[in-house]
Amino acid sequence: MTFGHWRREAYEALSAANVAMGQRRANTAADINTAVTARCAIFAQLARATELLVGGRPTPETPDRAQASAILTRRGQTLTKFYVGLRAAAIVDRQFPSTPAIVRTEPARSLRRAADAIGVIGDILASHVPPGRGPRTPEGLAIRAGGGVQSGLADLARLTARAVMIDIALPRWLEHAPGSLAEIYRPVAVTAKWTASSRLSTVARDLVAAGSGQAPLSDLNVARSPLNPAPGVSTVDDAIAALAAARTWMWHNPAQLTGEHLQLGTQVGLAVHMLTSGGDPKMVGGWRQAAIAAAELRATPPVGPARDAAAELAEALRWLRSRSPIRRGGRGELRHQQISRLDAELPFMAATLHKGLTAALQRRELSVRAESSLRRQAGSLVFGTTERWRPAVKDDDVVQDLTQALLQQHDVDRDGGQPVAAAQAFPHPPRPTSSLPRVSSSPTPEMTPRRARPRSR
């Protein structure tokens, strides 16, 4: 399940809890305890997700509510005010006992559901940008480059505005608690009243407005390793998960990328573009060139996790080809909007394949055809052609074709206006050294490249 799925889940749960508070009285201690504990967890999880998105705490200190009130009235510093408000809203001047494992009554059930969903959002982000460490996936690199951060904050702000609505209703809901329960949970009511009267909802609205039209993180999913055996692909979500697992592994292990990965990865790119462009040569030309060039390379078969990554690519490719209108009698089964989600994976794939190609060339693990020779066996009048292979080098035509196609396609995908953070923020891989002026130090994958010049033949 994706970032977008859990965002919707949390929003719906908060809305349900808000309605339930106006319709049901606070009854048992267990219900009240679950509701107030989940309410605090919601604000704490929103603050955690904010930290993960922006790469750390926007402010090093966690002020109390009095200090937070002063900060929230400042001009500017929207992110700092948002984070400070979330942290202050999560502070309650009393510890409460643990809540039961199963809750079936409202609004406690919906509040816990919302807290769990926001927690999963944080877990998804942490799998790409773990706290205190560098990004561990290409998506993480994109987020750290700013891609999707504004829209992600807007999503968290929408949930925050809905959580503030809970705090507006919570004190009155607690007043109807039987016996001494209202007094026991008074510290929660005090915090809720502060949140409701603070400027946190105003700050949240500012963040929602700032995120309008920005690249979304809706399709961001938990980063996983390739599985053995590769899971079957039967939906767009399955295909996205398979491609993400394969290319994330390849990104971290370029030294183990083989010719099979290059061939499968370029064929996946071609298959996706064939589905999304209707076969338009202008759209599929780059991936077709890459696939043709990759097919001319040979390498040792992948083993271990490398084989698992190749299997994930192969399964995604099988499914993509089965969706082809040609194979389905001219009838496309999937809506263009669904398939276009796969299109957003291609910038990552192009950059990852280029990184692996460079590493494989350095290790001299790719081979190209050498000039064939004619040989005649002893006692025979017939000459036969002997196919010969030699280690590939960067100046080989087929290698340059593949390199330029991957870099060109990466640029096309970036410039094509894909509404996904990854496609807009992912750092360019370096240009091949043959198209760059000589420099004293070698380029890194995070360097911004120059445009590749057309290669003369």
Side-chain angles (χ1 to χ4, degrees):
M1 298 296 184
T2 63
F3 184 105
H5 168 84
W6 292 110
R7 177 200 62 212
R8 291 188 295 272
E9 175 79 4
Y11 192 88
E12 291 171 1
L14 287 169
S15 299
N18 190 37
V19 172
M21 278 192 173
Q23 296 177 344
R24 293 176 175 82
R25 297 180 58 181
N27 292 322
T28 67
D31 288 344
I32 297 173
N33 190 66
T34 300
V36 299
T37 303
R39 174 257 169 217
C40 294
I42 286 168
F43 286 104
Q45 292 290 358
L46 286 167
R48 173 197 176 218
T50 301
E51 291 179 21
L52 291 166
L53 263 181
V54 301
R57 293 187 174 187
T59 178
E61 298 179 358
T62 302
D64 57 27
R65 283 195 293 272
Q67 293 172 316
S69 296
I71 292 173
L72 284 168
T73 59
R74 295 177 184 173
R75 298 184 60 181
Q77 300 180 326
T78 305
L79 176 59
T80 299
K81 292 191 294 185
F82 181 64
Y83 179 77
V84 165
L86 291 173
R87 281 298 180 195
I91 297 173
V92 174
D93 298 332
R94 181 170 181 174
Q95 296 293 322
F96 298 104
S98 59
T99 59
I102 299 176
V103 179
R104 293 188 175 89
T105 57
E106 295 289 2
R109 186 178 70 87
S110 291
L111 286 173
R112 174 178 281 183
R113 180 177 142 215
D116 291 343
I118 299 170
V120 175
I121 289 174
D123 293 342
I124 291 173
L125 290 170
S127 72
H128 298 278
V129 282
R133 294 165 49 195
R136 65 176 300 267
T137 66
E139 290 95 333
L141 286 171
I143 291 171
R144 284 293 168 263
V149 172
Q150 203 68 49
S151 66
L153 288 173
D155 289 334
L156 298 180
R158 290 186 184 93
L159 296 176
T160 298
R162 185 56 58 174
V164 171
M165 297 297 293
I166 297 293
D167 274 10
I168 292 174
L170 184 62
R172 185 173 180 83
W173 185 75
L174 289 174
E175 286 176 2
H176 293 88
S180 61
L181 291 176
E183 184 62 31
I184 292 173
Y185 291 98
R186 185 176 298 279
V188 183
V190 170
T191 300
K193 289 177 180 178
W194 175 87
T195 306
S197 62
S198 72
R199 292 181 55 82
L200 180 57
S201 58
T202 302
V203 174
R205 286 196 297 270
D206 292 341
L207 281 177
V208 170
S212 177
Q214 299 297 311
L217 289 176
S218 298
D219 288 334
L220 190 69
N221 209 337
V222 174
R224 67 167 176 84
S225 300
L227 302 178
N228 183 16
V233 173
S234 57
T235 66
V236 172
D237 288 336
D238 292 342
I240 290 174
L243 295 182
R247 56 141 170 89
T248 297
W249 183 89
M250 291 189 294
W251 180 264
H252 284 287
N253 301 275
Q256 298 183 49
L257 189 140
T258 68
E260 185 172 344
H261 296 105
L262 293 171
Q263 292 162 9
L264 289 169
T266 53
Q267 290 169 22
V268 163
L270 177 58
V272 171
H273 266 308
M274 287 293 290
L275 290 173
T276 56
S277 66
D280 183 353
K282 293 181 179 179
M283 294 294 293
V284 303
W287 282 107
R288 178 177 285 120
Q289 176 184 336
I292 291 172
E296 297 296 319
L297 297 172
R298 294 291 183 273
T300 55
V303 296
R307 181 181 55 215
D308 299 338
E312 296 258 17
L313 289 175
E315 178 59 19
L317 179 61
R318 177 204 61 77
W319 180 80
L320 286 166
R321 287 175 170 172
S322 73
R323 302 300 97 189
S324 169
I326 297 176
R327 295 197 176 193
R328 302 187 63 83
R331 294 175 298 175
E333 183 182 88
L334 294 173
R335 292 178 297 176
H336 178 82
Q337 184 179 8
Q338 287 288 311
I339 286 291
S340 64
R341 294 170 55 206
L342 277 166
D343 218 12
E345 290 290 316
L346 299 187
F348 283 160
M349 185 63 70
T352 301
L353 293 176
H354 178 268
K355 183 178 182 181
L357 172 62
T358 303
L361 289 172
Q362 292 173 348
R363 301 191 318 273
R364 298 176 68 83
E365 290 193 4
L366 296 177
S367 299
V368 295
R369 284 187 178 89
E371 292 184 3
S372 300
S373 60
L374 292 176
R375 290 188 178 181
R376 185 180 65 180
Q377 294 183 355
S380 174
L381 298 177
V382 179
F383 284 84
T385 301
T386 302
E387 192 176 59
R388 300 173 58 196
W389 295 81
R390 62 170 176 79
V393 296
K394 64 182 180 181
D395 293 328
D396 288 325
D397 284 353
V398 66
V399 172
Q400 292 196 27
D401 284 345
L402 179 55
T403 300
Q404 291 185 5
L406 291 174
L407 292 174
Q408 175 191 10
Q409 192 57 42
H410 185 246
D411 288 341
V412 168
D413 288 328
R414 283 172 54 94
D415 299 337
Q418 291 293 341
V420 175
Q424 295 188 4
F426 189 75
H428 284 263
R431 293 297 184 202
T433 54
S434 59
S435 63
L436 287 172
R438 290 189 175 274
V439 291
S440 57
S441 60
S442 59
T444 64
E446 290 73 28
M447 291 179 62
T448 302
R450 293 159 48 116
R451 290 280 178 184
R453 298 187 301 239
R455 180 170 53 84
S456 60
R457 290 188 178 273

